[in-house]
Amino acid sequence: MKLRSSWHQTLNYKTTPGDEVEDMFILLNEVKRQIPSITAVSSGAIASDYQRLRVESVCSRLGLVSLAYLWKQDQSLLLQEMITNGILAITVKVAAIGLDPAKHLGKEIAFLTAHLHKLKELYGINVCGEGGEYETLTLDCPLFVNARIVLDEFQTVLHSPGSIASVGVIHPLAFHLENKDTVISLDNDKASDSSLEKKGSVFVVQGDFPQRSQATCQSNSETTNLVEVRDDRIYISKTKKDNIFSICCWLQDSCKTSAGSHEDLAVVLKHIESQLAGYGFGWEHVLYIHLYIADMNEFATVNETYVRFITQEKCPFGVPSRSTIELPLLQASLGRAYIEVLVANDSSKNVLHVQSISSWAPSCIGPYSQATLHKEILHMAGQLGLDPPTMMLCNGGPSAELEQALGNSEAVANVFNCSVSTSAIVLTIYCSADTPLPERLKIQEKQDSFLKQMRLLQLDKGSKCKILDPIFLYVLVPDLPKRAFVEVKPILFVPEDAETAVTSVQNPSSFTVANRWGFQHAQWHDSCIQKCVVSGKICAIILSITENIVVKICSESLGVNDEDVDHQNSVSKGHMERVLRFCVYLLDKVIMENGFSWEDTMNLRTYFPTASGIPLETLSLALKNAMNELAEMDQRVQVGKEPIYNIVPVLAAGSSAASMNNIITCELFARKS
């Protein structure tokens, strides 16, 4: 088979006839045909996205799993580990400043270790050669059971002599195999069995390979046959921001006709796709997807539907990041599937999509990414407490899962040169209903100690990043993927200029917001608010309305004392409209005082516990009326055809893991263009 060169040289690879990657596809396709039990491919990628993405592309086309257990490991430690474990490799190419073909070609890596580390300090080279600094030929290693390779004759070729970084290559001309000494063991039978086992794991693939690459996987472009759905059952919300906005879609009472979550999801995704097309956009413009489903038992079929719409082929700039949780959708008459997408009108996003299983962080095998960076905001996928090498949930219960999930989030953040402990704006912690109350207390303790430890580590590293004071939202949900106890969803601020002063605004501007609906500022209002503001860039707010706060709001409107209000029935007595007016008033006050407007809103979610008995229609109508009334009072506020808010049913929500007892929780995220 004639070997080809690299024709497709951009980072994200797509099938290109004549490219060398197609040779790998042909070879692995033949391996898979002759050895059907093969399910995965292991590669030695350490830091090269270019190499990793090409292996992952081929594996994806062939239905194989990519294993990259060296990925993101410390190269100095890795080099020493390889030498210690008996890997005898010599340099057959050098191409870096400080590496001289006359001195360093043909030398063992063990001999060059000290020199490589010196060059790392001087010039920042990769000591394992991941930047193309050098290439090696392995002459002996533990996998070579019977013999080692001895190079008898070779030719040295200089490609660019006399330059700053001379390039030299060794061309082997003759070699022979040298038998290894017999291994002496106290247990000869055991040694023999081990040797046979190693021999049995080696297969020889023979035959003439086809000279063209044909994808064996089915096309992902096909979509399911969609059931006709009346327009009055399809609900759409959209924020008013033009350059980056959110669209939300759900169905009403689908349980009467739907065959399951996958059918509802197909309808919802189709309508989202139609909405995007109406703006001249496609799935490639989506940054983030919140996937809410009614039954986590249907996750596999839901995912099959999802990947028919959102594919790598449709997203050449990278597939969006994603969070998936189960919500009590049916109890709120919201159908079986509920989608929220965050959309940008440009292609400047930077997507991290590692599909290889490694020790670095959990892989994303499929069309969803670990994180998406867009205009200084890092939208991170929901992280479970998965052990990366095994992709299994770690042992130790909810607090151990949280620690692992935060550690996974930190590994992803480090790729973007930031830390969850210093750059987080909002941290949403989803807790499964299976998490007992005492364990929720441990979750918050573990979270606080982890973030504190990480901050100290960042300071020890001499990090110049200013520390943000993040806001926290805890949400209790029926279930999570893999039956996890915890899922962490971070949003981080990653300034383009590392020296940019990133500080939360403590003092509001001098702008004064007029009193609305008779509300006047009171000291207790501040207890409802968490905010993280990056001056002139970002404003994130979480507004928590507990039962006690409801009583205060209703007491003001009735002109009576707190103790005269029925605490148990305060919401059911028709005060929900007053409560939601208060929410809109307070959100308006915070965003205006910090120099933002409703036009800057990227998303606005209203979480409500289904057990409260508040009908969805009541909430939706009350919010709609409040926004319309605000627009009548303030000409700067404009109300569009669709509402800008999403209503999200949950089991419970709150600002602490121990007391998720909010009647209403509002989450607003705004950014300046």
Side-chain angles (χ1 to χ4, degrees), residues 27-47:
L27 174 61
L28 290 177
N29 193 28
E30 186 65 18
V31 169
K32 187 177 178 183
R33 186 185 70 81
Q34 294 192 29
I35 313 172
S37 60
I38 293 293
T39 59
V41 173
S42 182
S43 66
I46 303 171

Side-chain angles (χ1 to χ4, degrees), residues 274-294:
S274 177
Q275 289 283 316
L276 292 172
Y279 296 103
F281 298 158
W283 292 111
E284 70 270 22
H285 292 95
V286 174
L287 306 176
Y288 200 94
I289 294 179
H290 285 86
L291 174 58
Y292 305 134
I293 58 178

Side-chain angles (χ1 to χ4, degrees), residues 40 60 83 254 310 329 387 394 416 601 605:
S60 177
I83 295 169
S254 68
I310 298 125
L329 298 177
D387 176 48
C394 65
F416 295 90
T601 303
R605 302 185 189 94

Side-chain angles (χ1 to χ4, degrees), residues 61-345:
R61 291 160 61 190
L62 291 171
L64 298 169
V65 176
S66 172
L67 305 176
Y69 287 113
L70 305 186
W71 182 249
K72 292 296 180 184
Q73 290 199 28
D74 183 282
Q75 292 194 34
S76 296
L77 297 177
L78 191 56
L79 181 62
Q80 186 56 50
E81 185 179 353
M82 288 188 283
I83 295 169
T84 303
N85 281 278
I87 294 179
L88 175 63
I90 62 169
T91 55
V92 291
K93 178 181 178 181
V94 294
I97 186 170
L99 289 177
D100 184 346
K103 295 180 181 178
H104 303 124
L105 268 178
K107 296 295 189 292
E108 293 182 17
I109 294 302
F111 173 79
L112 294 176
T113 300
H115 185 63
L116 291 172
H117 280 95
K118 182 179 179 181
L119 296 182
K120 177 187 176 183
E121 294 177 6
L122 291 173
Y123 310 116
I125 74 160
N126 296 284
V127 295
C128 285
E130 271 289 276
E133 292 88 347
Y134 64 89
E135 305 289 347
T136 60
L137 171 66
T138 299
L139 302 178
D140 192 14
C141 70
L143 289 176
F144 296 179
V145 178
N146 298 316
R148 61 176 64 86
I149 301 170
V150 177
L151 198 57
D152 297 318
E153 186 180 350
F154 60 85
Q155 178 185 7
T156 301
V157 179
L158 295 180
H159 286 284
S160 53
S163 63
I164 295 176
S166 299
V167 178
V169 179
I170 282 180
H171 288 179
L173 300 176
F175 69 92
H176 71 274
L177 298 180
E178 183 178 278
N179 290 333
K180 289 189 175 182
D181 296 333
T182 303
V183 178
I184 300 175
S185 172
L186 295 176
D187 189 346
N188 290 328
D189 292 336
K190 184 177 179 180
S192 177
D193 291 343
S194 176
S195 177
L196 288 172
E197 182 181 342
K198 290 180 180 178
K199 288 180 182 178
S201 65
V202 178
F203 295 86
V204 178
V205 176
Q206 297 177 334
D208 295 329
F209 303 152
Q211 293 303 302
R212 66 183 185 276
S213 56
Q214 297 176 342
T216 59
C217 56
Q218 295 181 350
S219 171
N220 285 327
S221 61
E222 300 176 2
T223 56
T224 56
N225 294 323
L226 299 178
V227 177
E228 289 296 325
V229 179
R230 298 197 324 267
D231 287 343
D232 62 350
R233 287 184 50 225
I234 301 165
Y235 283 77
I236 294 284
S237 69
K238 178 192 172 295
T239 53
K240 292 184 64 60
K241 200 170 178 66
D242 292 327
N243 62 334
I244 178 167
F245 54 89
S246 63
I247 302 177
C248 181
C249 182
W250 50 272
L251 303 176
Q252 184 180 33
D253 294 331
S254 68
C255 56
K256 297 176 182 177
T257 57
S258 172
S261 297
H262 64 285
E263 187 173 287
D264 276 14
L265 181 62
V267 174
V268 169
L269 286 172
K270 187 64 178 177
H271 281 279
I272 290 284
E273 195 169 67
S274 177
Q275 289 283 316
L276 292 172
Y279 296 103
F281 298 158
W283 292 111
E284 70 270 22
H285 292 95
V286 174
L287 306 176
Y288 200 94
I289 294 179
H290 285 86
L291 174 58
Y292 305 134
I293 58 178
D295 187 356
M296 197 57 71
N297 290 319
E298 297 185 64
F299 180 80
T301 55
V302 162
N303 222 33
E304 289 175 5
T305 302
Y306 182 93
V307 301
R308 292 191 184 106
F309 286 86
I310 298 125
T311 66
Q312 296 183 59
E313 290 75 21
K314 292 181 182 179
C315 303
F317 308 114
V319 287
S321 302
R322 189 181 86 178
S323 173
T324 306
I325 58 173
E326 180 182 317
L327 291 180
L329 298 177
L330 295 178
Q331 294 90 317
S333 300
L334 283 172
R336 299 176 184 272
Y338 181 139
I339 287 285
E340 180 188 329
V341 299
L342 184 65
V343 188
N345 68 351

Side-chain angles (χ1 to χ4, degrees), residues 442-626:
K442 293 180 182 178
I443 283 175
Q444 188 146 356
E445 291 172 1
K446 181 65 70 175
Q447 165 207 287
D448 293 341
S449 64
F450 181 92
L451 293 177
K452 182 178 180 180
Q453 182 181 357
M454 285 296 102
R455 283 185 179 182
L456 292 174
L457 186 60
Q458 291 297 313
L459 292 173
D460 289 342
K461 290 180 179 179
S463 173
K464 296 181 180 179
C465 291
K466 304 295 182 181
I467 296 177
L468 281 172
D469 189 13
I471 54 180
F472 297 90
L473 175 62
Y474 299 86
V475 182
L476 191 66
V477 298
D479 204 357
L480 293 168
K482 294 184 178 289
R483 299 292 184 262
F485 286 113
V486 178
E487 180 175 325
V488 178
K489 189 191 70 174
I491 301 177
L492 281 65
F493 177 64
V494 185
E496 293 176 356
D497 180 2
E499 301 298 324
T500 300
V502 181
T503 55
S504 299
V505 174
Q506 300 298 328
N507 299 314
S509 69
S510 58
F511 181 83
T512 303
V513 177
N515 295 329
R516 315 286 193 196
W517 298 288
F519 292 118
Q520 296 185 4
H521 178 70
Q523 191 170 0
W524 61 267
H525 290 186
D526 296 335
S527 66
C528 308
I529 302 166
Q530 289 185 79
K531 65 177 181 178
C532 181
V533 181
V534 179
S535 183
K537 292 179 179 285
I538 297 165
C539 179
I541 308 166
I542 291 175
L543 185 61
S544 300
I545 306 298
T546 62
E547 190 173 272
N548 290 335
I549 296 298
V550 170
V551 171
K552 290 180 182 294
I553 296 169
C554 297
S555 298
E556 281 189 354
S557 65
L558 293 171
V560 297
N561 296 325
D562 288 1
E563 55 267 22
D564 295 329
V565 179
D566 184 344
H567 286 232
Q568 295 298 320
N569 299 310
S570 58
V571 177
S572 61
K573 284 185 175 180
H575 298 301
M576 183 49 64
E577 285 193 2
R578 181 71 177 171
V579 169
L580 290 174
R581 285 192 183 107
F582 176 78
C583 291
V584 172
Y585 155 76
L586 212 51
L587 289 172
D588 181 57
K589 182 174 185 293
V590 174
I591 62 177
M592 293 297 180
E593 285 182 344
N594 288 282
F596 291 80
S597 71
W598 289 98
E599 300 291 320
D600 298 319
T601 303
M602 282 169 50
N603 53 57
L604 172 59
R605 302 185 189 94
T606 299
Y607 301 89
F608 78 100
T610 51
S612 67
I614 307 169
L616 176 76
E617 293 78 7
T618 301
L619 279 172
S620 184
L621 182 60
L623 272 171
K624 180 180 179 181
N625 290 339

Side-chain angles (χ1 to χ4, degrees), residues 516 625-635 637-639:
R516 315 286 193 196
N625 290 339
M627 293 301 299
N628 287 336
E629 290 167 10
L630 179 64
E632 291 176 3
M633 290 184 281
D634 192 336
Q635 293 183 351
V637 180
Q638 297 182 355
V639 177

